[in-house]
Structures are given as structure tokens and as C-alpha cells.
């Protein structure tokens, strides 16, 4: 019997939108460290030099192509990238749109009528890509409160989607008017990909992105593969080792990768190597929609997620950066870059669970990308 699981909907981006940051005079200090950075504008190296601490057990970064690490992890470590997977998923779908195998503005039910109930007939593929679909909240997910082994529980994409719609209350909202971040969109996009290609979603990822870009350290594990290649951090939640865990988030958050591979993917995506011009424009297209009342991922009242699965973030100097955040138990990850790739950052933090690591993430992004 499957346990009801919910999509990992990490709110890492709240750190980017609430103004939380590490004051230079109060940056995190590792156990035994004598002082915090004194610069008003700490560098990525300054921040790493004061880790690990009570909040972050270890961290790795890749800034403008140069790797670094702090704590018991190496710069080349494998990480479970969580919702960073969505940028890969959206890219695969945009490629299929470019090949005229999927129609951007067609009802999603045209491709997977057995997945989406008739009440969602107005939801288009475009709505799924930019989180304006109005799909229901995902079904609940197990956590530490469910007892030992919760991180090993699994569910098929089909069962997960079915249970999420079964629990949906009332009439769905009109799609297109409001952006509400929802990983259920990515599950449906993965199922559409499989339907139109006749191949597994993992096979399409390999053929379209992983092999062409030579991402030798990126993979979508099989549903029963709980392992992660070495080297990797040993990660814990509430004192329990959860390094081995179910990759059930699949097209929503199941990928394993490294900072080198994510940096290569970012560069290729931003330079238009993966998509023709018409679809490349969509990578950075943000819908003219309001920010949903339950959506804490975007600043103010306007949307911030693009059709390409990226998030728009304004840096302290006023320049826009684009990227993607993601999480799995024991890992908080992401990549961000300036549109012209003048500066780029990949990061992965291993939080201890003793406090909020979101200010660390904002500090790293601002330090890496701000002139």
C-alpha cells in the first residue's frame, strides 16, 4: 500500500524575497571560529570560511566556474537537487513544443485525459509550465513524525496525481490569473512527456539534456534506487541519517547531480543551446498574473516564475538574476545567474535543522552575483 505523499514545495525563495540576509557583523560563525567577517559586503569565500556552524553542517558552491566547500563535504559531491529538477522538466517539454509534438496552448487533458479530471479542461500546457494552472494542493507527505523509515516511502507518479485530485475541494479556480507554485504541475508534465513520446521520462531526459551536455554526474534514479553516488555528504533530519531516500519526486524533484553539471546546464540553457529562439524566449517569460495568496515564493503581488521553470530575483544593485531552488531532506540547493552569464552560482547546503538556513542562501546569491 502506498503512503500518501506530497510534492516537495520548498520555500527557499522566501529568503530571496523577504529581505533576510546575513549582516556582515553577524554572519554565522563556526564552532571555534574567532570572528565573523568584517566586510560590509562579504564574499562567497567569507561566508564559507565561517561554516560549518549550528545551522549549516556543510556547504559547497561553484562560483563563475570555481568550486569550493566548507565542512565535511567536497566541492565535487553529488547532491539530491530537489525542485531544481523542474528546470530540466520544463526544458524537455519546451523541446517537444518546438518539435510540434505538444501544443503550448492546448488543453493538457488532450494528452493525459486519464490524469486530469474534466473540471480542469481549461488548464493548458502553458499553465502547467508557469504555475498558473490552479491545480489542487498535493496530497500529504510523510515526515519524521511518521516514524523511522519515512524517507524511504514511495509512490508512483500516477497514484500521487490521482490522490491529489481526489482530495481537491470544490470548483477549481479559473486558470491563468494567479500564479501559485505547485509541484503537481511537474508531475503532470512528466506524464505528458511519457504519453507523447512513448518513452520514460528518464529516457527523454537522458536523450535530450544529459547526454548532449555530457552531464556525466546527473541522473534520475529508478523508483526503487535509494542510493546516491559517492562522494556525497552524510545528511540527517532530527538525528536520523536520511542520506538514502526515495527519489519519488521524479519529474518534480528526483534528480541527482553535481555543481559542475548544474553549472554546465545553466550555461547551456541561458545561451540557447537547448532550445530554438521561439521557445528560448519562454525560458525567461513570466506570466502577467497575480501572486497567489498562499504563494510565498515571489516578492510583492506579481508572479516571478517563468515558463521555463526559472525564478526571477532582483539583486541588491537592481539587476535581475534568474535561477532555481530545490530541496530534499538534508539538502538545500540552487543555481542563479545574471542573464548575460557574467556571474553565476551553484550552491548546496546541508542544514542541521537547528535553525533557518535561508539567510545563508540569500547571502551567497547576493555575494556571488552582485557587482
Amino acid at each position: 500500500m502506498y503512503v500518501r505523499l506530497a510534492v516537495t514545495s520548498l520555500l527557499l525563495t522566501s529568503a530571496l524575497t523577504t529581505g533576510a540576509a546575513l549582516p556582515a557583523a553577524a554572519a554565522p560563525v563556526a564552532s571555534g571560529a574567532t570572528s565573523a567577517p568584517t566586510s560590509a559586503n562579504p564574499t562567497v569565500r567569507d561566508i564559507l570560511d565561517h561554516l560549518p556552524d549550528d545551522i549549516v553542517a556543510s556547504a559547497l558552491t561553484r562560483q563563475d566556474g570555481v568550486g569550493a566547500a566548507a565542512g565535511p563535504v567536497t566541492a565535487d559531491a553529488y547532491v539530491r537537487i530537489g525542485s531544481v529538477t523542474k528546470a530540466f522538466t520544463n526544458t524537455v517539454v519546451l523541446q517537444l513544443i518546438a518539435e510540434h509534438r505538444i501544443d503550448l496552448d492546448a488543453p493538457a487533458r488532450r494528452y493525459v485525459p486519464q490524469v486530469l479530471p474534466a473540471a480542469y479542461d481549461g488548464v493548458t500546457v502553458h499553465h502547467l509550465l508557469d504555475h498558473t494552472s490552479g491545480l489542487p494542493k498535493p496530497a500529504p507527505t510523510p515526515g519524521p513524525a511518521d516514524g523511522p523509515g519515512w524517507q524511504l516511502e514511495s509512490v508512483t507518479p500516477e497514484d500521487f496525481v490521482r490522490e491529489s485530485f481526489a482530495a481537491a475541494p470544490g470548483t477549481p479556480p479559473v486558470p491563468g490569473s494567479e500564479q501559485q507554485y505547485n509541484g503537481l504541475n511537474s508531475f503532470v508534465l512528466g506524464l505528458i512527456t511519457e504519453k507523447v513520446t512513448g518513452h520514460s521520462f528518464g529516457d527523454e531526459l537522458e536523450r535530450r539534456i544529459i547526454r548532449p551536455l555530457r552531464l556525466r554526474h546527473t541522473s534520475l534514479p529508478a523508483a526503487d534506487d535509494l542510493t546516491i553516488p559517492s562522494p556525497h555528504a552524510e545528511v540527517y533530519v532530527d538525528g536520523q541519517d536520511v542520506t538514502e531516500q526515495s527519489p519519488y519526486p521524479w519529474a518534480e524533484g528526483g534528480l541527482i547531480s553535481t555543481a559542475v553539471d548544474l553549472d554546465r546546464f545553466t550555461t547551456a540553457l541561458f545561451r540557447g543551446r537547448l532550445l530554438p529562439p521561439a521557445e528560448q524566449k519562454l525560458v525567461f517569460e513570466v506570466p502577467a498574473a497575480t501572486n497567489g495568496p498562499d504563494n510565498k515564493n515571489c516578492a510583492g503581488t506579481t508572479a516571478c516564475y517563468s515558463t521555463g521553470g526559472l525564478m526571477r530575483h532582483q539583486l541588491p544593485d537592481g539587476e535581475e538574476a534568474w535561477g532555481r531552488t530545490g530541496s530534499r531532506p538534508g539538502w538545500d540547493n540552487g543555481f542563479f545567474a545574471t542573464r548575460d552569464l557574467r556571474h553565476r552560482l551553484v550552491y548546496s547546503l546541508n542544514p542541521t535543522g537547528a535553525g533557518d538556513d535561508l539567510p545563508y542562501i540569500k547571502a551567497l546569491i547576493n555575494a556571488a552575483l552582485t557587482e
Side-chain angles (χ1 to χ4, degrees):
M1 181 176 70
Y2 290 110
V3 175
R4 298 180 70 186
L5 299 170
V7 176
T8 303
S9 182
L10 178 69
L11 299 184
L12 284 180
T13 47
S14 64
L16 306 179
T17 59
T18 60
L22 293 177
V29 180
S31 175
T34 58
S35 64
T38 57
S39 169
N41 298 295
T43 65
V44 169
R45 186 69 261 175
D46 289 335
I47 297 167
L48 292 178
D49 283 346
H50 288 77
L51 296 175
D53 67 1
D54 291 341
I55 308 300
V56 176
S58 55
L60 65 86
T61 62
R62 189 168 184 81
Q63 179 186 7
D64 296 338
V66 178
V73 71
T74 56
D76 62 345
Y78 288 82
V79 301
R80 298 186 187 274
I81 68 174
S83 289
V84 175
T85 303
K86 291 182 176 69
F88 288 76
T89 299
N90 283 35
T91 300
V92 167
V93 174
L94 288 174
Q95 287 182 350
L96 290 167
I97 289 168
E99 295 165 10
H100 305 291
R101 301 174 74 180
I102 295 176
D103 185 337
L104 178 67
D105 296 313
R109 288 193 78 240
R110 173 187 298 179
Y111 305 102
V112 285
Q114 75 284 6
V115 170
L116 289 173
Y120 294 86
D121 193 52
V123 174
T124 68
V125 174
H126 204 162
H127 294 140
L128 296 174
L129 289 166
D130 66 16
H131 293 285
T132 60
S133 64
L135 296 191
K137 291 182 179 180
T141 182
D146 297 310
W150 59 269
Q151 77 277 10
L152 308 179
E153 300 294 345
S154 186
V155 66
T156 67
E158 294 85 355
D159 284 347
F160 177 77
V161 172
R162 186 180 305 112
E163 291 195 358
S164 296
F165 281 111
T171 303
V174 176
S177 61
E178 181 178 282
Q179 186 174 76
Q180 180 60 56
Y181 182 83
N182 187 343
L184 196 60
N185 293 307
S186 300
F187 274 91
V188 177
L189 289 169
L191 293 171
I192 290 175
T193 297
E194 294 193 334
K195 185 69 173 181
V196 301
T197 64
H199 303 138
S200 74
F201 179 73
D203 285 347
E204 288 299 308
L205 272 178
E206 284 280 345
R207 186 173 73 85
R208 295 172 175 277
I209 298 177
I210 293 175
R211 285 201 300 268
L213 295 184
R214 298 182 181 179
L215 306 182
R216 296 185 177 91
H217 306 292
T218 299
S219 64
L220 183 66
D224 59 352
D225 185 357
L226 310 178
T227 64
I228 181 171
S230 293
H232 58 75
E234 299 291 331
V235 300
Y236 296 83
V237 173
D238 290 352
Q240 181 180 356
D241 187 336
V242 297
T243 308
E244 291 195 349
Q245 55 185 263
S246 170
Y248 82 88
W250 191 56
E252 187 269 337
L255 277 174
I256 290 173
S257 191
T258 63
V260 169
D261 275 11
L262 290 179
D263 188 39
R264 187 174 297 164
F265 170 74
T266 303
T267 301
L269 180 64
F270 280 44
R271 286 182 175 166
R273 289 180 53 198
L274 293 169
L275 296 165
E279 285 68 35
Q280 182 66 18
K281 287 181 60 178
L282 297 175
V283 170
F284 301 97
E285 177 195 84
V286 175
T290 60
N291 189 23
D294 297 327
N295 191 11
K296 308 303 180 184
N297 299 343
C298 304
T301 61
T302 57
C304 72
Y305 281 102
S306 75
T307 304
L310 302 182
M311 177 192 145
R312 181 176 59 194
H313 166 60
Q314 189 171 51
L315 297 167
D317 62 4
E319 185 173 6
E320 284 186 348
W322 295 84
R324 178 70 255 183
T325 62
S327 173
R328 291 297 293 139
W331 281 276
D332 285 343
N333 325 285
F335 69 81
F336 280 85
T338 54
R339 178 75 176 268
D340 59 5
L341 291 173
R342 187 176 68 260
H343 295 299
R344 60 192 193 276
L345 173 74
V346 179
Y347 66 85
S348 179
L349 275 57
N350 303 118
T352 66
D356 189 0
D357 68 341
L358 302 186
Y360 297 66
I361 293 168
K362 180 182 175 76
L364 286 169
I365 293 170
N366 289 344
L369 304 185
T370 302
E371 296 289 356

